[in-house]
Amino acid sequence: MSEITVSDLQRLLQTIAKRMLAERDDLCQLDGVIGDADHGIAMELGFAAAAKAAGELDPSATDPTGVLNTAAKAFLNAVGASSGPLYATAFMRAAAAVKGKASLGDQEMLDIFAALAKGIQDRGKAEVGEKTMVDAWAPAADACAQAGAEGRPLAECYDAALAAAEKGRDATREMVASKGRSARLGDRSLGHIDPGAASATIVISCLSDFVRR
Ligand code: ADP
Ligand code: MG
């Protein structure tokens, strides 16, 4: 496929922001069961701010790293909930992963996926099985990297990531939370999908649509 440009990334952020607006109430509802019911608002505000700030950049005067760093800062400033620093770190790591590139090819898009997931894990220190967004991001990143190492086309790598994220999201239903706000519920968190894993899967589905375009 052709290289991904600054304008493509600006459009991608807008697409994710739109999706989060549409999913806001459902995400708040999930968070209402095992958290404080604000996750949909956090994700909507975060991606709206990221899309707006990135969209104001002049494509001829910036590069993908500039777009992703701007998105990181805007997301962090807009979101007071714990998802704020987690996604801000993800974007910052993605920015660093493609530093110096004017546009992004398949390898850079594989690097970006790995960097997003690693940023979230490094920042929140959650492991798989603790009922967080890491339960979607980590297996998705593994599946993406594995498909990449097998030399499969980028769209297939991102499809594999999405399938793994969906599976990971669904698996959070059977987990007891041990990180984040819902950890205080103990066993009462059982039987419910983690809102952060649900929103992560939405982000990843936007990414996979984006690379297939
Ligand atoms: P808050 O819990 O501050 O209200 P949000 O509602 O925006 O923040 O986000 C809640 C989600 O954040 C959880 O569903 C979980 O997926 C994720 N989360 C919480 N703590 C961590 C962590 N340490 N690492 C990764 N994800 C986390
Ligand atoms: Mg919350």
Side-chain angles (χ1 to χ4, degrees), residues 4 15 19 43 49 52 54 60 67 77 82 92 95 100 123 136 142 145 180 188 197 207 212-213:
I4 286 162
T15 304
R19 268 300 286 288
M43 293 301 281
K52 180 167 189 288
S60 66
V67 173
N77 290 337
S82 31
M92 258 155 42
R123 178 74 206 203
D142 288 348
R188 280 180 294 144
L207 292 173
R212 213 182 311 112
R213 97 229 127 101

Side-chain angles (χ1 to χ4, degrees), residues 27 31 34-43 79-84 86-87 120-121 123-127 130-135 179-182 193-200:
L27 291 171
D31 197 29
I34 61 166
D36 58 355
D38 68 346
H39 187 61
I41 294 166
M43 293 301 281
V79 178
S82 31
S83 43
L86 291 165
Y87 274 99
I120 287 169
Q121 272 197 285
R123 178 74 206 203
K125 304 269 183 292
E127 302 289 340
E130 293 190 297
K131 199 179 181 96
T132 71
M133 61 177 77
V134 167
D135 288 301
K179 279 276 184 332
R181 196 178 293 281
S182 48
I193 285 188
D194 176 66
S199 63

Side-chain angles (χ1 to χ4, degrees), residues 1-188:
M1 74 178 268
S2 56
E3 297 261 316
I4 286 162
T5 63
V6 162
S7 338
D8 293 328
L9 291 177
Q10 289 171 318
R11 248 193 319 274
L12 168 65
L13 287 165
Q14 268 161 21
T15 304
I16 301 176
K18 244 186 243 160
R19 268 300 286 288
M20 288 304 166
L21 177 60
E23 307 276 354
R24 180 186 60 195
D25 293 351
D26 287 351
L27 291 171
C28 282
Q29 212 157 18
L30 286 178
D31 197 29
V33 181
I34 61 166
D36 58 355
D38 68 346
H39 187 61
I41 294 166
M43 293 301 281
E44 188 221 325
L45 288 178
F47 276 103
K52 180 167 189 288
E56 284 165 357
L57 297 172
D58 174 359
S60 66
T62 189
D63 60 7
T65 293
V67 173
L68 292 162
N69 274 328
T70 299
K73 232 180 274 166
F75 202 105
L76 187 64
N77 290 337
V79 178
S82 31
S83 43
L86 291 165
Y87 274 99
T89 306
F91 283 131
M92 258 155 42
R93 294 294 183 80
V98 296
K99 203 167 160 56
K101 309 277 179 186
S103 62
L104 309 175
D106 290 4
Q107 186 56 52
E108 286 75 37
M109 290 309 291
L110 290 175
D111 294 344
I112 278 189
F113 202 105
L116 289 168
K118 184 150 192 313
I120 287 169
Q121 272 197 285
D122 287 351
R123 178 74 206 203
K125 304 269 183 292
E127 302 289 340
V128 166
E130 293 190 297
K131 199 179 181 96
T132 71
M133 61 177 77
V134 167
D135 288 301
W137 275 109
D142 288 348
C144 189
Q146 199 194 323
E150 288 165 7
R152 285 160 61 190
L154 184 67
E156 282 183 28
C157 299
Y158 271 58
D159 278 350
L162 177 58
E166 286 169 345
K167 200 165 154 219
R169 172 201 63 200
D170 293 345
T172 63
R173 196 188 283 282
E174 313 309 326
M175 293 175 192
V176 174
S178 57
K179 279 276 184 332
R181 196 178 293 281
S182 48
R184 67 190 71 165
L185 288 180
D187 284 351
R188 280 180 294 144

